[in-house]
Amino acid sequence: MDKLIVSILGVSLIGAIYWFFFGKREEGMEASKGLTIIVDGGYKPNVIRIKQGQPVRLTFIRKDPNSCLEELVFSDYKIKEYLPMNTPVTITLPPPHKDKSGFHCGMNMYHGRIEVTK
Amino acid sequence: MKISFPIIGMHCASCAKNIERGLKKTPGVADAQVNYGSEEATVNFDPSLSNLRHLSNVIAGLGYKAVITGEGAKTPEELKEEAKKKELADLKGKVIVSGTLSILVLLGSFPQWFPFVPQILTNPFVLLLLATPVQFWAGWGFYQATWSGLRNRTASMDTLIAIGTTAAFGYSTLIVLFQRQLTALGISRGMYFDTAAIIITLILLGRYFEAKAKAHTSDAIKKLLHLQAKTARVLRPRVPSRPELVSGPHPESDIRQGSLSASSADRDDMVEIDVPIEEVKVGDIIRVRPGEKIPVDGKITEGASSIDQSMVTGESIPVDKKVGDLVIGATINKTGTFLFMATKVGKDTMLSQIVKMVAEAQSSRAPIQRLADVVSGYFVPTVLMLAVATFIVWFDFGTFSQAFTNMIAVLIIACPCALGLATPTAIMVGTGKGAEHGILIKDAESLEIAHKIKTMVFDKTGTLTKGEPKVTDIDFNAGFAKMGLTKEKIATAIVSLEKNSEHPLSKAMVSYLGNASALMVKNFKAIEGFGVSGAVAGLPVVIGNKKLMEQEKVIRCGQLDKKAEQWMNEGKTLAYVAIDKKHVALLALADTLKNEAKETVNQLKKMHIDVWMITGDNEKTAQAIAQQAGISNVLASVLPAEKAEKIKRLKYSSNEARSLDNSSRPAWRGSNNSRVVAFAGDGINDAPALASADVGIAMGTGTDVAMESAGITLLNKNLYSVVSAITLSKSTLAVIKENLVWAFGYNVILIPVAMGVLYPITGWLLNPALAAFAMAASSISVVSNSLRLKTKQI
């Protein structure tokens, strides 16, 4: 009986983990004139919508001491910045922008996405 | 004056209002706005009544912090350095304390193995007491990261460690506190304090070593930044009434007067002052003395010297520079004193461009990394699900204890960090190593492709050759004595005339006949594309090509005509010399091959790379140079605009291109026979070819256009660096592959082992503490393997 209960609970837990991590709705934000992104357990917001053909200024403020997040990498733009704690760091993404590109922390554990609108 | 700066420490919109009020009350502040969303203040103030420090103090007085950059502010590099030092010191302290406690917990947990252990240490309450600081003090960072991640519905390695160790610690605590009740329920009495404590200690120890090793992966950039001079000795006009004040930005700086060479009357009104490098402006005249670093890029206006450029270009021999020559910032002046005019300062200097390019290359992504990128997004949640699945299966088919330890082992063994570090660390060390040798790599992709090069195409002039023609032979008309001439007189006529021309061929002739004296020339005329003419000592002299001789109706000399034919067949350029309408001498000129060209071609052939030469020269000249270099594949008479098209064709079929002539053929339309083609060229006109090759290699002094179009720039102009760049690419790729195999293999093999798949066959299970050790070792081994590149010979 206990085995059955553990099995049911376990499978439900697996389902819950799947839903929790993969089922989230990503909240995107327009960054037409610039945007401040809070780095705390990830990037908030982590989906940034930008306009094609326009440079974009993004300001990152790291509030998370996790050393994984101390580096910010935009591979497609060849940008790598060190993010000191609680200090805004502004980067400019020059056009042309790829339709979809991303950014991530130094160890590639936390991710953000950039979507281009026409 | 209006200024914007970030503010730290606000937690609500009323904080912003509070700061705004405080600022507005400050004397001299006309207006202030504080935005809570962007955490930024914009202040309009009168600089004569207030200053930035004052504003910063006002904000600090309210309990917040203004981040005002400017004088005395720390650069991001300094902040990073500081943070890294602090992190290392923190980690060290934690490792020592948690290490000591963990050993005590381990000893107390297994009295059967360690009979010498005092009885008190085996008491479960004592173990709980010893393990608690390890779990919640040393391991606090894991909880912080997990919590902030979960709020964002993301997970990282810290999540796995926090869950794994909390499960072990929590379960053991329950056993200690409710031993009787749980035993009555039939739950195992095993405790896992040792597992939790040792895991945390080992992971922290791993992070400590990893942080130490990672600090060295960016050594190259640090080295480059350290090359920069801190001050420059600039000439600034003296203010007549107040000689102690100069119009420069730093009146209090070290002022030296009267030490100028009195070559210019204006300079009497100038003083030399040492100014910080950031304040040097374009157009400033700067003095550099022997042994000093040249502060910025510029052009010599007075004096000459020998300059050691090895730190920037990798060239080992000092280069002689005179008035009009360009000097590069951060290089060292060896012998003479000179003045130069700053032409590029700040971000535009060559050193800054190099630093920028290396930093960009280090942050670019190698295509080989793609798989690791895809995996990393799903890794941690998948491991969490696998851990639960492990628990279920072991609980159903084994014991609770097995289910529990295997679940923890799965959580702990998974190492996404090794995957994340595998490629970037190798790229960082590889590109840094290249920069140290004067090989600038634009992006990780170029570094990755370079090892696949199958065809190498060299531009001739300036790349394979020195780009400076030299006189190789000279012959005189045997009957010159009858004309009342001597060899010396002929040489004098040539030098007198050619000294007036700037043409490279003229310079070569003057340099060859340097000992001959020069006379006044009357009616000098440079006939573009043909030669020069004029009167020396009353005699008409014409020097130029055959066509010019025909035009001037010069009487030919059979003996010299024979020589002309022979030298032309050798691919040399000819200069006919006629005095008084008679052909009296003939000079042969040729561009000479770079010393290292032959060795480079040989090495490339040994690497099974097809070597080609492409040039605008005629077939004969091209073949002559190619033969000297040991190249059998030649594309001659190619116009600069056609080079890119030829490269494209070579990409798809080198055999086809071999037979290409210059007639217009339909553009290539597709083939699967693609080969990786590299093109090495030196000039702006090579930019299209550099861009159309798979790997463009610019032989350069760092001109923007060539550097932009090329994937690799050889600052040292040494052709052999082509071989070095390919070797570097091979070594880096080998390291990346080793890292990826290790990182993937480690996870792919050890996660199933931790789950216990080998148990039915071999009876093997993975101890969670061993898993922690392996996990820590995997990240360190990946970083250490990348650092191995530093010692590779290229």
Side-chain angles (χ1 to χ4, degrees):
Chain A
M1 183 63 188
D2 53 347
K3 285 182 181 173
L4 186 66
I5 295 169
V6 166
S7 301
I8 292 169
L9 283 178
V11 172
S12 317
L13 186 59
I14 291 175
I17 293 172
Y18 184 87
W19 167 83
F20 187 78
F21 291 109
F22 299 131
K24 62 182 169 187
R25 241 186 58 229
E26 284 169 324
E27 285 174 27
M29 266 182 103
E30 287 284 341
S32 51
K33 283 180 188 162
L35 188 67
T36 298
I37 294 150
I38 305 296
V39 183
D40 189 4
Y43 303 100
K44 297 174 196 171
N46 68 344
V47 179
I48 301 158
R49 279 189 284 277
I50 61 176
K51 286 233 163 75
Q52 185 56 279
Q54 286 180 8
V56 187
R57 274 165 62 90
L58 300 175
T59 303
F60 287 81
I61 303 174
R62 176 177 155 228
K63 295 187 168 177
D64 188 333
N66 185 359
S67 64
C68 191
L69 286 160
E70 70 187 14
E71 241 169 26
L72 171 70
V73 184
F74 284 78
S75 297
D76 291 326
Y77 294 90
K78 292 187 193 165
I79 292 171
K80 183 160 73 181
E81 281 290 342
Y82 174 72
L83 303 178
M85 280 293 284
N86 293 317
T87 309
V89 174
T90 301
I91 56 158
T92 305
L93 306 180
H97 306 293
K98 283 189 179 173
D99 282 349
K100 268 191 183 170
S101 67
F103 54 96
H104 54 82
C105 71
M107 286 186 183
N108 210 347
M109 297 300 307
Y110 295 97
H111 302 92
R113 213 168 64 224
I114 295 174
E115 289 177 359
V116 178
T117 52
K118 300 283 171 200
Chain B
M1 181 177 171
K2 198 172 182 180
I3 182 171
S4 295
F5 50 84
I7 292 179
I8 298 168
M10 292 191 282
H11 11 77
C12 57
S14 67
C15 295
K17 283 280 159 228
N18 193 12
I19 300 170
E20 216 170 270
R21 271 198 301 272
L23 283 171
K24 279 180 180 168
K25 274 189 219 160
T26 310
V29 174
D31 190 27
Q33 281 178 341
V34 179
N35 185 333
Y36 171 63
S38 64
E39 301 195 314
E40 214 170 57
T42 307
V43 185
N44 200 347
F45 71 100
D46 181 350
S48 61
L49 295 172
S50 188
N51 58 36
L52 290 174
R53 183 165 293 177
H54 191 195
L55 296 178
S56 169
N57 288 341
V58 169
I59 294 167
L62 295 167
Y64 309 94
K65 191 173 175 240
V67 185
I68 299 178
T69 50
E71 214 172 313
K74 286 176 179 151
T75 61
E77 282 75 27
E78 284 169 334
L79 284 171
K80 186 175 181 180
E81 196 91 343
E82 227 170 61
K84 286 282 138 198
K85 270 191 193 149
K86 195 169 166 283
E87 185 191 337
L88 273 177
D90 271 3
L91 273 172
K92 198 174 174 182
K94 283 183 177 167
V95 166
I96 292 170
V97 174
S98 64
T100 314
L101 292 174
S102 301
I103 289 171
L104 293 176
V105 172
L106 180 72
L107 293 175
S109 301
F110 298 97
Q112 67 275 29
W113 296 349
F114 312 106
F116 56 86
V117 170
Q119 190 63 33
I120 185 152
L121 212 56
T122 60
N123 184 316
F125 285 97
V126 173
L127 291 178
L128 170 63
L129 207 68
L130 291 172
T132 304
V134 179
Q135 187 71 31
F136 297 109
W137 171 72
W140 185 242
F142 302 123
Y143 285 109
Q144 269 184 318
T146 304
W147 174 237
S148 52
L150 289 180
R151 277 189 297 147
N152 262 348
R153 296 173 76 169
T154 55
S156 67
M157 208 188 99
D158 297 87
T159 319
L160 299 176
I161 295 160
I163 294 176
T165 57
T166 307
F169 181 86
Y171 176 78
S172 311
T173 308
L174 287 177
I175 293 285
V176 173
L177 298 179
F178 308 104
Q179 196 172 356
R180 248 181 242 158
Q181 292 88 327
L182 290 174
T183 317
L185 285 172
I187 290 176
S188 150
R189 289 172 54 195
M191 282 189 294
Y192 302 96
F193 286 125
D194 56 315
T195 308
I198 288 171
I199 288 170
I200 289 178
T201 304
L202 285 174
I203 304 279
L204 288 176
L205 185 68
R207 290 214 171 155
Y208 176 73
F209 285 126
E210 188 186 309
K212 278 198 117 174
K214 259 173 80 185
H216 292 290
T217 56
S218 54
D219 278 355
I221 292 249
K222 277 188 220 153
K223 267 191 208 166
L224 284 169
L225 285 169
H226 282 148
L227 290 176
Q228 180 77 59
K230 299 273 181 289
T231 59
R233 182 156 302 153
V234 179
L235 271 67
R236 289 262 160 85
R238 188 199 318 245
V239 180
S241 58
R242 305 268 313 270
E244 77 279 14
L245 291 181
V246 289
S247 62
H250 256 236
E252 73 276 13
S253 305
D254 172 22
I255 301 175
R256 284 165 232 267
Q257 299 183 34
S259 61
L260 291 176
S261 61
S263 62
S264 155
D266 300 349
R267 304 260 164 76
D268 290 342
D269 296 329
M270 305 283 247
V271 286
E272 285 180 22
I273 57 164
D274 282 345
V275 301
I277 190 86
E278 300 81 27
E279 292 175 10
V280 177
K281 296 187 215 95
V282 169
D284 273 346
I285 301 289
I286 299 163
R287 175 179 295 279
V288 188
R289 293 184 303 192
E292 285 182 346
K293 257 184 200 170
I294 297 169
V296 293
D297 294 0
K299 202 180 232 181
I300 298 185
T301 56
E302 196 180 308
S305 185
S306 166
I307 293 167
D308 178 3
Q309 302 192 144
S310 60
M311 59 293 296
V312 176
T313 65
E315 271 171 298
S316 52
I317 304 161
V319 187
D320 290 333
K321 304 253 177 175
K322 54 185 188 311
V323 173
D325 286 344
L326 297 174
V327 288
I328 308 168
T331 57
I332 293 173
N333 178 26
K334 300 289 275 190
T335 51
T337 296
F338 63 88
L339 293 176
F340 78 97
M341 189 172 72
T343 53
K344 282 180 179 170
V345 299
K347 279 191 272 180
D348 301 326
T349 62
M350 188 162 159
L351 182 71
S352 299
Q353 293 291 326
I354 294 171
V355 170
K356 186 172 160 247
M357 208 163 153
V358 174
E360 282 183 356
Q362 292 186 340
S363 52
S364 63
R365 178 175 301 169
I368 195 166
Q369 201 181 334
R370 267 182 220 133
L371 183 59
D373 282 357
V374 173
V375 171
S376 74
Y378 301 98
F379 192 86
V380 175
T382 307
V383 171
L384 282 174
M385 291 189 276
L386 284 177
V388 178
T390 305
F391 185 87
I392 301 171
V393 173
W394 276 100
F395 188 82
D396 288 352
F397 300 101
T399 64
F400 170 82
S401 172
Q402 284 171 325
F404 194 67
T405 45
N406 289 342
M407 179 189 75
I408 295 172
V410 171
L411 289 171
I412 301 303
I413 195 84
C415 184
C417 288
L419 279 177
L421 292 169
T423 316
T425 50
I427 293 287
M428 278 181 88
V429 180
T431 46
K433 172 108 185 164
E436 280 172 25
H437 288 78
I439 303 168
L440 270 190
I441 296 153
K442 194 171 148 201
D443 48 32
E445 195 170 350
S446 302
L447 186 63
E448 185 179 329
I449 302 174
H451 85 290
K452 293 185 199 155
I453 293 173
K454 288 277 173 281
T455 306
M456 179 76 225
V457 187
F458 288 105
D459 179 45
K460 194 201 100 186
T461 313
T463 303
L464 273 179
T465 66
K466 290 176 181 164
E468 301 158 359
K470 287 218 163 76
V471 174
T472 55
D473 310 88
I474 185 164
D475 199 10
F476 297 92
N477 185 331
F480 62 76
K482 285 179 203 158
M483 301 174 211
L485 295 169
T486 60
K487 280 186 184 175
E488 287 72 29
K489 275 186 184 169
I490 297 171
T492 300
I494 297 171
V495 171
S496 306
L497 209 59
E498 295 292 2
K499 260 202 166 161
N500 294 289
S501 167
E502 281 293 307
H503 196 278
L505 293 179
S506 305
K507 284 187 176 167
M509 283 187 257
V510 173
S511 140
Y512 182 72
L513 302 166
N515 293 331
S517 52
L519 299 174
M520 276 283 287
V521 178
K522 279 184 185 167
N523 306 325
F524 175 80
K525 225 163 73 182
I527 310 144
E528 205 169 317
F530 292 91
V532 290
S533 68
V536 181
L539 287 172
V541 182
V542 180
I543 307 171
N545 58 17
K546 203 173 175 183
K547 274 188 190 155
L548 183 65
M549 299 298 130
E550 281 162 7
Q551 268 177 25
E552 296 286 324
K553 301 195 170 60
V554 167
I555 300 165
R556 291 167 64 171
C557 162
Q559 164 226 337
L560 290 180
D561 280 351
K562 253 190 196 166
K563 272 276 178 233
E565 203 182 323
Q566 180 197 331
W567 288 344
M568 206 151 81
N569 284 336
E570 289 170 16
K572 291 171 181 168
T573 306
L574 302 178
Y576 293 77
V577 183
I579 296 179
D580 203 13
K581 301 265 178 194
K582 288 178 199 104
H583 189 190
V584 294
L586 183 72
L587 291 101
L589 296 103
D591 194 357
T592 47
L593 205 64
K594 279 187 182 164
N595 300 333
E596 69 276 11
K598 203 166 179 181
E599 174 64 11
T600 305
V601 172
N602 262 339
Q603 277 301 327
L604 290 172
K605 283 182 176 171
K606 274 188 199 160
M607 292 171 156
H608 306 291
I609 293 172
D610 259 356
V611 184
W612 288 70
M613 188 183 88
I614 194 163
T615 175
D617 285 354
N618 64 50
E619 188 75 31
K620 269 184 187 163
T621 313
Q623 284 292 356
I625 285 283
Q627 222 165 26
Q628 285 177 45
I631 299 174
S632 47
N633 307 314
V634 179
L635 293 168
S637 307
V638 182
L639 295 174
E642 293 171 349
K643 280 184 189 169
E645 178 63 19
K646 294 274 180 195
I647 299 289
K648 276 185 203 155
R649 290 188 186 203
L650 271 175
K651 268 194 199 177
Y652 298 101
S653 168
S654 18
N655 292 329
E656 184 193 343
R658 204 173 298 223
S659 61
L660 290 182
D661 55 29
N662 287 304
S663 59
S664 57
R665 287 186 176 207
W668 180 87
R669 271 197 280 279
S671 151
N672 295 323
N673 194 15
S674 165
R675 293 166 68 86
V676 176
V677 174
F679 172 73
D682 68 325
I684 290 169
N685 61 1
D686 287 330
L690 285 169
S692 56
D694 296 302
V695 184
I697 303 175
M699 309 290 300
T701 48
T703 54
D704 295 347
V705 182
M707 265 166 90
E708 274 301 310
S709 324
I712 297 173
T713 303
L714 305 180
L715 289 175
N716 53 21
K717 293 187 220 163
N718 186 331
L719 204 58
Y720 198 78
S721 294
V722 171
V723 177
S724 306
I726 296 172
T727 314
L728 179 67
S729 165
K730 282 192 172 153
S731 318
T732 311
L733 252 289
V735 166
I736 292 178
K737 282 178 186 164
E738 285 160 18
N739 284 352
L740 286 174
V741 165
W742 172 250
F744 270 110
Y746 167 87
N747 282 303
V748 167
I749 294 167
L750 288 190
I751 292 177
V753 171
M755 290 171 77
V757 292
L758 289 183
Y759 185 77
I761 311 160
T762 60
W764 290 354
L765 285 175
L766 195 64
N767 183 316
L770 260 179
F773 175 77
M775 210 245 46
S778 74
S779 287
I780 300 170
S781 61
V782 161
V783 178
S784 308
N785 195 34
S786 297
L787 286 175
R788 215 164 46 85
L789 271 173
K790 280 190 167 189
T791 56
K792 286 254 175 187
Q793 287 289 323
I794 61 165

